[in-house]
Amino acid sequence: MVADFDDHCLPDDNASVQQPWWTIPTGDFVKLNVDGSFLIESRSMATRGVVRDSNGTWLSGFSIKDGQGTVLQAELNVILKGLSLAWEKGWTKVICESDSVEAIHLIQLISPPTSTLYRAVIQDIHNLLARS
Protein backbone atom coordinates (compact mmCIF):
# COMPACT_ATOMS: atom_id res chain seq x y z
CA MET A 1 0.00 0.00 0.00
CA VAL A 2 1.24 3.47 -0.84
CA ALA A 3 0.07 6.11 1.62
CA ASP A 4 0.92 9.76 1.93
CA PHE A 5 -0.01 11.50 5.17
CA ASP A 6 -1.12 15.10 4.98
CA ASP A 7 -1.69 17.50 7.84
CA HIS A 8 -2.33 20.64 5.76
CA CYS A 9 -5.38 21.52 7.85
CA LEU A 10 -3.16 22.48 10.76
CA PRO A 11 -1.62 25.82 11.63
CA ASP A 12 1.83 26.43 10.20
CA ASP A 13 4.67 28.66 11.37
CA ASN A 14 3.52 31.59 9.21
CA ALA A 15 -0.11 31.77 10.33
CA SER A 16 -1.95 31.61 13.60
CA VAL A 17 -4.75 29.54 12.05
CA GLN A 18 -4.90 28.01 8.61
CA GLN A 19 -8.35 27.38 7.18
CA PRO A 20 -9.01 23.75 6.21
CA TRP A 21 -9.76 22.91 2.62
CA TRP A 22 -10.23 19.77 0.61
CA THR A 23 -8.48 19.11 -2.68
CA ILE A 24 -9.04 16.17 -4.97
CA PRO A 25 -6.38 13.47 -5.08
CA THR A 26 -4.39 13.21 -8.29
CA GLY A 27 -4.17 10.29 -10.67
CA ASP A 28 -5.37 6.96 -9.37
CA PHE A 29 -5.06 7.89 -5.69
CA VAL A 30 -8.02 8.00 -3.34
CA LYS A 31 -8.20 10.43 -0.45
CA LEU A 32 -9.02 9.26 3.05
CA ASN A 33 -10.10 12.00 5.47
CA VAL A 34 -10.22 10.88 9.08
CA ASP A 35 -10.97 12.34 12.50
CA GLY A 36 -11.03 10.87 15.96
CA SER A 37 -12.89 12.44 18.85
CA PHE A 38 -12.71 12.08 22.60
CA LEU A 39 -14.94 13.15 25.50
CA ILE A 40 -12.89 13.98 28.59
CA GLU A 41 -15.62 13.21 31.15
CA SER A 42 -16.32 9.66 29.96
CA ARG A 43 -13.05 8.99 28.08
CA SER A 44 -15.30 7.87 25.20
CA MET A 45 -13.77 7.74 21.74
CA ALA A 46 -15.42 7.92 18.33
CA THR A 47 -13.89 7.68 14.88
CA ARG A 48 -15.08 8.67 11.43
CA GLY A 49 -13.70 8.78 7.97
CA VAL A 50 -14.59 9.20 4.33
CA VAL A 51 -12.89 8.07 1.10
CA ARG A 52 -13.25 10.00 -2.17
CA ASP A 53 -11.82 9.46 -5.64
CA SER A 54 -10.08 11.90 -7.99
CA ASN A 55 -13.46 13.29 -9.06
CA GLY A 56 -14.40 14.03 -5.45
CA THR A 57 -16.99 11.24 -5.54
CA TRP A 58 -17.77 9.59 -2.20
CA LEU A 59 -16.62 5.97 -2.31
CA SER A 60 -17.02 4.82 1.27
CA GLY A 61 -17.12 6.02 4.84
CA PHE A 62 -17.55 5.01 8.45
CA SER A 63 -18.51 6.36 11.86
CA ILE A 64 -17.83 4.19 14.91
CA LYS A 65 -18.09 4.46 18.68
CA ASP A 66 -14.68 3.21 19.72
CA GLY A 67 -14.76 2.46 23.44
CA GLN A 68 -12.70 4.35 25.99
CA GLY A 69 -9.20 5.71 25.69
CA THR A 70 -7.32 8.91 24.90
CA VAL A 71 -7.54 11.51 22.16
CA LEU A 72 -4.29 10.23 20.58
CA GLN A 73 -5.59 6.68 20.69
CA ALA A 74 -8.75 7.80 18.87
CA GLU A 75 -6.66 9.55 16.19
CA LEU A 76 -4.41 6.51 15.66
CA ASN A 77 -7.39 4.11 15.67
CA VAL A 78 -9.19 6.10 12.98
CA ILE A 79 -6.12 6.11 10.73
CA LEU A 80 -5.82 2.33 11.12
CA LYS A 81 -9.55 1.82 10.45
CA GLY A 82 -9.45 4.05 7.38
CA LEU A 83 -6.35 2.41 5.90
CA SER A 84 -7.83 -1.03 6.63
CA LEU A 85 -11.03 -0.04 4.82
CA ALA A 86 -9.01 1.17 1.84
CA TRP A 87 -7.07 -2.11 1.72
CA GLU A 88 -10.27 -4.19 1.97
CA LYS A 89 -11.78 -2.23 -0.93
CA GLY A 90 -8.65 -2.71 -3.05
CA TRP A 91 -7.48 0.91 -2.92
CA THR A 92 -3.72 0.72 -2.53
CA LYS A 93 -2.81 4.31 -3.40
CA VAL A 94 -4.12 6.45 -0.57
CA ILE A 95 -3.65 10.01 0.62
CA CYS A 96 -4.63 10.12 4.29
CA GLU A 97 -5.55 13.51 5.78
CA SER A 98 -5.67 13.89 9.55
CA ASP A 99 -5.65 16.89 11.87
CA SER A 100 -3.41 15.07 14.38
CA VAL A 101 0.23 16.05 13.91
CA GLU A 102 1.19 13.83 16.84
CA ALA A 103 -0.42 10.73 15.31
CA ILE A 104 1.17 11.38 11.92
CA HIS A 105 4.57 11.95 13.55
CA LEU A 106 4.36 8.64 15.45
CA ILE A 107 3.37 6.76 12.29
CA GLN A 108 6.21 8.29 10.27
CA LEU A 109 8.85 7.12 12.76
CA ILE A 110 10.91 4.27 11.28
CA SER A 111 10.06 2.08 14.26
CA PRO A 112 7.31 2.69 16.82
CA PRO A 113 8.30 3.74 20.33
CA THR A 114 8.89 0.64 22.46
CA SER A 115 7.34 1.91 25.67
CA THR A 116 4.08 3.48 24.64
CA LEU A 117 0.42 2.67 25.02
CA TYR A 118 0.11 3.21 21.27
CA ARG A 119 2.82 0.80 20.08
CA ALA A 120 0.43 -1.96 18.95
CA VAL A 121 -1.79 0.28 16.80
CA ILE A 122 1.27 2.01 15.28
CA GLN A 123 2.77 -1.39 14.46
CA ASP A 124 -0.55 -2.47 12.88
CA ILE A 125 -0.47 0.67 10.70
CA HIS A 126 3.14 -0.06 9.69
CA ASN A 127 2.22 -3.67 8.84
CA LEU A 128 -0.69 -2.50 6.69
CA LEU A 129 1.50 0.03 4.87
CA ALA A 130 4.11 -2.67 4.18
CA ARG A 131 1.60 -4.75 2.17
CA SER A 132 1.98 -4.66 -1.58
Side-chain angles (χ1 to χ4, degrees):
M1 173 178 274
V2 175
D4 180 28
F5 292 92
D6 193 352
D7 63 358
H8 76 268
C9 295
L10 298 172
D12 63 22
D13 293 337
N14 299 321
S16 58
V17 175
Q18 190 174 25
Q19 294 299 314
W21 71 92
W22 190 86
T23 58
I24 62 171
T26 58
D28 53 353
F29 277 80
V30 297
K31 186 171 281 190
L32 167 66
N33 293 90
V34 297
D35 192 27
S37 62
F38 171 77
L39 294 174
I40 294 172
E41 299 82 21
S42 63
R43 296 181 33 96
S44 297
M45 300 182 302
T47 58
R48 60 196 144 296
V50 61
V51 182
R52 294 185 183 105
D53 66 13
S54 60
N55 294 316
T57 303
W58 184 91
L59 299 174
S60 189
F62 60 93
S63 180
I64 302 168
K65 284 186 176 182
D66 207 14
Q68 293 183 316
T70 68
V71 66
L72 182 56
Q73 189 174 2
E75 296 290 354
L76 289 166
N77 285 352
V78 73
I79 291 170
L80 177 60
K81 284 178 176 44
L83 291 175
S84 295
L85 172 67
W87 179 263
E88 290 167 12
K89 297 283 190 178
W91 304 314
T92 58
K93 293 183 177 182
V94 180
I95 297 169
C96 180
E97 290 186 340
S98 169
D99 63 356
S100 177
V101 170
E102 188 175 7
I104 293 170
H105 172 74
L106 287 172
I107 292 165
Q108 290 177 331
L109 293 174
I110 293 172
S111 59
T114 56
S115 61
T116 178
L117 169 68
Y118 314 111
R119 179 172 172 59
V121 70
I122 295 167
Q123 188 60 55
D124 288 346
I125 293 168
H126 282 197
N127 292 341
L128 189 58
L129 294 173
R131 293 181 181 177
S132 55

